[in-house]
Amino acid sequence: MTMLFDGALPSVPVSLPTRVERFIAENRFDHPTLVLDTDAVVERFHALKSGLGQTHIHYAVKANPAREIIARLVAEGSNFDAASRGEIELCLSQGARPEQISFGNTVKRASDIAFAHSAGIRLFAADAAEELEKIAEHAPGAMVYLRLLVDNPQADWPLSRKFGSDRDMAIELCALAKELGLQPVGLSFHVGSQTRRASMWTGVLDYVAGVWADAKAAGHDLTLINIGGGFPAFYGEPVEAPAAYAAEVRRMVEARFPGARIMAEPGRGLVAECGAIACEVMLVSRKSGDDLHRWVYLDIGKFSGLAETIDEAIRYQFATPHDGEATGPCILAGPSCDSADVLYEKRPVALPISLRSGDRIVIRNTGAYTSSYSSVGFNGFPPLDVIVL
Ligand SMILES: Cc1ncc(COP(=O)(O)O)c(C=O)c1O
């Protein structure tokens, strides 16, 4: 990054610019750059915590593994949901204690389970018999929670098909865990990432409460309900404020799981709004003289941080130096020589008519699932730069 003041770029609204957007407006960047505000992460952590009450928050590290974020959350007393040995090592290196870390991926390498066990981690996720066998062998006596397959088509980024087991299998897995000398302490699920309203949790919670009751009736003394992530960020469509949303989720969970220890794993809802990407327009063109749409090519695309535009699921907001001027529909694409690198085409984006190559763009609320999704060098483009304020 070159630290030059660029007075010509009020690319964010003059009213209430965030610290991140002020920093972007005042500096120049050689490459697409994610700027993160860890004070904002801490603020958001406390907003969620105020709504979630006694719930144990385990930050889903995959959303943004910046060391500075982990260190700030350790200082605030957060716990962590790790998906791999790498994420466990990261949390430990920033001062998290092993009992603050759960190994939440249901697909774990045996050697990573052994590593986690040797590091003192005692809480693991599973959704299959073979996974329980691996855990029993490499982390004998560990506590496990069984992940349920749930369906929630209302989430903008559903996670439903890949993870979890059905009701009957979850109860069988509780029994198997016991046979293997493990402690089946609870159930987990993920309602789907970017579940915009708390009321969208109702059906899933009712279903999980039914499985919980069945497992208890089968003699399993469950004490832990892990409600996963799903807490939303603002991408343009209305979302409830974090504390109110979290409080409503807590109320619904407590009503269905009285006395249970509640655990939540927010990722997106904790960090997305704490970062913005500074990038640039590389080309504006049309495919023919009567093309109704302009094609706008940015210097960032699906392979350099914006993977969540797959299926146009997550729709980011763009600020340009021409905001307030007349707009027209654009197909937005990334810079790589791959025809899959188109961000929004089914639903084009309205951008200022005067947009030109070289214009600087701010992509708002991109603190989650961007830097960690960026490839190491597709087409020779470097990974997304990250600056932490
Ligand atoms: C097990 C688990 N927990 C939590 C999360 C975080 O979800 P979100 O970003 O919606 O909060 C994820 C996301 O993939 C996950 O896989």
Side-chain angles (χ1 to χ4, degrees):
M1 185 193 68
T2 327
M3 300 285 285
L4 279 178
F5 177 71
D6 177 20
L9 188 81
S11 65
V12 294
V14 178
S15 59
L16 294 179
T18 63
R19 196 169 153 228
V20 160
E21 292 194 17
R22 266 199 311 274
F23 181 87
I24 291 175
E26 290 168 2
N27 293 281
R28 280 201 166 279
F29 307 89
D30 297 332
H31 305 288
T33 301
L34 170 64
V35 181
L36 291 167
D37 180 353
T38 51
D39 287 349
V41 174
V42 168
E43 213 173 281
R44 187 54 89 101
F45 174 75
H46 287 292
L48 289 177
K49 202 166 160 51
S50 74
L52 286 170
Q54 297 305 307
T55 299
H56 297 259
I57 296 181
H58 287 235
Y59 169 54
V61 177
K62 60 179 78 72
N64 192 319
R67 268 197 314 277
E68 297 87 342
I69 290 180
I70 307 298
R72 291 293 301 269
L73 289 175
V74 167
E76 298 304 316
S78 180
N79 304 289
F80 298 90
D81 161 50
S84 63
R85 173 175 178 156
E87 287 190 355
I88 292 171
E89 287 176 324
L90 170 65
C91 294
L92 293 172
S93 75
Q94 297 308 306
R97 287 173 284 109
E99 58 272 22
Q100 291 177 288
I101 303 170
S102 47
F103 201 165
N105 195 339
T106 52
V107 186
K108 294 178 285 299
R109 197 176 278 283
S111 58
D112 287 1
I113 297 172
F115 166 78
H117 181 68
S118 70
I121 287 156
R122 295 290 175 263
L123 186 57
F124 295 79
D127 66 1
E130 206 173 72
E131 192 69 15
L132 288 176
E133 286 160 9
K134 279 192 273 171
I135 297 171
E137 185 178 346
H138 299 285
M143 293 182 284
V144 289
Y145 52 83
L146 287 317
R147 180 148 172 188
L148 287 169
L149 183 60
V150 298
D151 194 21
N152 192 348
Q154 296 185 89
D156 287 354
W157 187 264
L159 301 162
S160 48
R161 278 176 35 253
K162 185 169 169 188
F163 305 104
S165 73
D166 76 2
R167 172 192 295 246
D168 293 345
M169 185 173 282
I171 295 169
E172 285 164 26
L173 291 174
C174 285
L176 176 63
K178 263 188 206 153
E179 276 172 47
L180 292 168
L182 298 168
Q183 304 173 57
V185 290
L187 300 178
S188 76
F189 63 92
H190 196 300
V191 72
S193 201
Q194 187 65 5
T195 293
R196 273 177 281 107
R197 290 194 302 281
S199 60
M200 293 173 171
W201 287 62
T202 316
V204 170
L205 286 174
D206 286 343
Y207 171 73
V208 177
V211 184
W212 179 270
D214 288 352
K216 288 202 148 195
H220 302 295
D221 182 23
L222 303 184
T223 54
L224 173 73
I225 182 71
N226 177 356
I227 65 173
F231 300 81
F234 180 71
Y235 293 120
E237 288 208 55
V239 288
E240 290 154 358
Y245 182 104
E248 179 58 9
V249 169
R250 171 171 64 129
R251 188 194 63 71
M252 293 191 288
V253 174
E254 284 177 348
R256 289 164 178 80
F257 304 89
R261 175 188 168 98
I262 307 170
M263 173 175 159
E265 301 172 334
R268 184 190 308 281
L270 194 39
V271 295
E273 292 184 26
C274 307
I277 289 173
C279 64
E280 200 175 298
V281 175
M282 294 189 79
L283 175 70
V284 181
S285 67
R286 290 182 198 267
K287 301 291 174 198
S288 66
D290 54 3
D291 197 346
L292 294 177
H293 295 100
R294 285 165 301 152
W295 281 71
V296 172
Y297 299 88
L298 301 178
D299 60 352
I300 183 170
K302 272 205 167 81
F303 304 103
S304 40
L306 304 183
E308 287 205 311
T309 58
I310 291 171
D311 293 334
E312 308 194 8
I314 298 296
R315 294 190 68 85
Y316 296 113
Q317 296 212 289
F318 300 88
T320 83
H322 309 288
D323 285 355
E325 298 171 19
T327 64
C330 297
I331 297 169
L332 210 57
S336 68
C337 300
D338 188 316
S339 53
D341 194 7
V342 175
L343 307 175
Y344 302 116
E345 183 171 17
K346 281 184 275 177
R347 280 174 61 203
V349 182
L351 288 174
I353 305 282
S354 49
L355 205 63
R356 292 286 175 274
S357 153
D359 280 343
R360 296 174 62 198
I361 304 283
V362 177
I363 314 180
R364 295 198 160 125
N365 296 348
T366 39
Y369 303 114
T370 49
S371 49
S372 49
Y373 266 143
S374 165
S375 72
V376 294
F378 186 50
N379 280 212
F381 296 118
L384 186 57
D385 271 347
V386 179
I387 292 177
V388 183
L389 303 182

